[in-house]
Amino acid sequence: MPAKTKFEVKLGAATREAFGRALVELGRENKDIVVCDADLAKSTMTTYFQKEFPERFFSCGIAEANMTAIGAGLAYAGKIPFIASFSVFVMNKGFEQLRTCAAYPNVNLKVVGTHSGISIGEDGPSQMSVEEIGLACSLAGFVVLAPADEISTKALVRAAAAHVGPVFIRTGRPKCPIVYDAGQKFEIGKAIEVVEGSDVTIIAGGLLVAQSILAAETLEAEGISARVIDMHTVKPIDREAIHRAAAETGAIVVAEEHLVDGGLGVRVAQVVAQTRPCPMEFVGIQDTYAESGQPDELLDKYGLVARDVAAAVRKVVGRK
């Protein structure tokens, strides 16, 4: 288990950047990797792949539904297609095609949403995706991944390419704190305990993993031992890790940059209800859309920082 050493916040690359770099590495290793983008290659970072493999890159214009269908067709042809756009566009505009062309026939399509959550900042609410995890999880047969940093992103993009079947990967716009050391192993469906603890478990995804580690340090100074789990795979979720957390710590907080209705917290609560019921609290976006602003300001305003995670922990521990 990881030792309790002070977490030093060091910003690494954005997860969208890590995705773009990993895609190029995969393209060099496997000629069947192809990429589709919806006129946002410089933002989704598929531009790296486009420059090195122009013959395997397909610009589909501002037409996410068509891009999704084209990607599914490439999968049928034996390719390993990655399609990319902002999460709000690829999931909302492409949902019918994701369901009909990818999920129902269970094709080998990899879908990457960038600029997820409210941390895209100044772009405003029309481009902030706060519901895509719930939508992605509703697609039968889809694997749903939400990496926490650049190291986990690169590893999970590779895992997605190796997995046979449809996958959705959630990535973000801003640089994010480095959580993992190089060489950390990741497996689809297997959560990672990043901080050990015995009084309560914080289950987090994406940017909230680093915030949860910071919260655990604050709580430790108060005498509360908080376990932190990175649930990088939202579907299939690690039921064993959740059951063990409920049984061993007796209380769970779920933290995510997503609507609390339909996100990671709902999926964790379902497992808790079926296995080992315990008190739970939820840190996330509370039935609202955000606004335009600096990413850090928005995360603070909407209750998605370490302070809010720690407050939820105190509340749930009081209910044990």
Side-chain angles (χ1 to χ4, degrees):
M1 280 188 184
K4 283 196 174 181
T5 56
K6 185 171 177 58
F7 179 60
E8 185 177 353
V9 178
K10 292 182 179 179
L11 289 180
T15 49
R16 62 171 175 146
E17 172 82 18
F19 155 64
R21 298 294 186 187
L23 205 53
V24 172
E25 293 175 5
L26 285 169
R28 291 170 181 161
E29 298 166 12
N30 188 339
K31 62 180 178 57
D32 287 329
I33 299 287
V34 295
V35 174
C36 299
D37 201 287
D39 203 33
L40 286 167
K42 291 182 180 179
S43 295
T44 63
M45 300 300 175
T46 59
T47 186
Y48 300 136
F49 190 95
Q50 179 184 25
K51 289 176 180 177
E52 187 154 343
F53 308 105
E55 73 286 357
R56 288 152 58 187
F57 180 89
F58 305 94
S59 181
C60 299
I62 306 173
E64 286 79 8
N66 288 344
M67 176 183 70
T68 302
I70 290 167
L74 288 165
Y76 268 116
K79 301 300 181 182
I80 304 175
F82 280 78
I83 67 171
S85 184
F86 287 16
S87 279
V88 72
F89 300 143
V90 71
M91 188 54 65
N92 289 279
K93 292 185 176 182
F95 190 80
E96 180 184 354
Q97 286 68 32
L98 288 170
R99 180 184 184 274
T100 305
C101 301
Y104 174 65
N106 195 39
V107 301
N108 195 29
L109 179 67
K110 318 304 173 185
V111 184
V112 181
T114 68
H115 295 69
S116 305
I118 65 173
S119 57
I120 72 168
E122 299 87 345
D123 286 359
S126 67
Q127 301 192 37
M128 293 175 178
S129 186
V130 295
E131 62 280 289
E132 83 292 330
I133 285 178
L135 290 170
C137 286
S138 74
L139 294 167
F142 258 76
V143 165
V144 180
L145 305 172
D149 69 356
E150 61 175 289
I151 292 168
S152 55
T153 300
K154 289 179 179 179
L156 290 170
V157 168
R158 284 187 166 275
H163 174 81
V164 179
V167 179
F168 174 76
I169 307 174
R170 184 190 215 238
T171 67
R173 178 187 186 186
K175 294 182 178 181
C176 53
I178 297 173
V179 174
Y180 294 102
D181 295 328
Q184 171 70 46
K185 301 299 182 183
F186 292 85
E187 182 181 345
I188 289 174
K190 295 294 183 183
I192 297 177
E193 184 177 318
V194 292
V195 178
E196 57 186 355
S198 57
D199 295 328
V200 62
T201 299
I202 307 167
I203 297 176
L207 289 177
L208 270 293
V209 174
Q211 293 300 317
S212 296
I213 296 171
L214 292 171
E217 292 184 348
T218 297
L219 293 161
E220 185 177 18
E222 301 173 13
I224 299 174
S225 175
R227 178 180 304 181
V228 179
I229 291 176
D230 174 11
M231 193 63 70
H232 56 74
T233 304
V234 185
K235 180 186 177 188
I237 203 158
D238 191 339
R239 295 175 63 88
E240 181 182 349
I242 297 169
H243 177 263
R244 189 167 60 250
E248 293 175 358
T249 69
I252 291 175
V253 170
V254 182
E256 57 185 321
E257 187 194 358
H258 188 278
L259 285 170
V260 294
D261 298 318
L264 172 63
V266 170
R267 294 188 59 80
V268 173
Q270 184 179 38
V271 177
V272 170
Q274 292 173 330
T275 58
R276 183 67 177 257
C278 71
M280 294 187 66
E281 291 292 334
F282 304 90
V283 176
I285 300 167
Q286 304 290 331
D287 197 30
T288 187
Y289 296 100
E291 58 203 276
S292 179
Q294 293 291 323
D296 288 346
E297 294 175 338
L298 292 172
L299 293 170
D300 181 79
K301 177 174 179 176
Y302 291 93
L304 302 177
V305 296
R307 172 201 65 218
D308 306 292
V309 178
V313 166
R314 296 184 193 102
K315 186 176 180 181
V316 80
V317 168
R319 294 170 51 208
K320 285 180 68 174

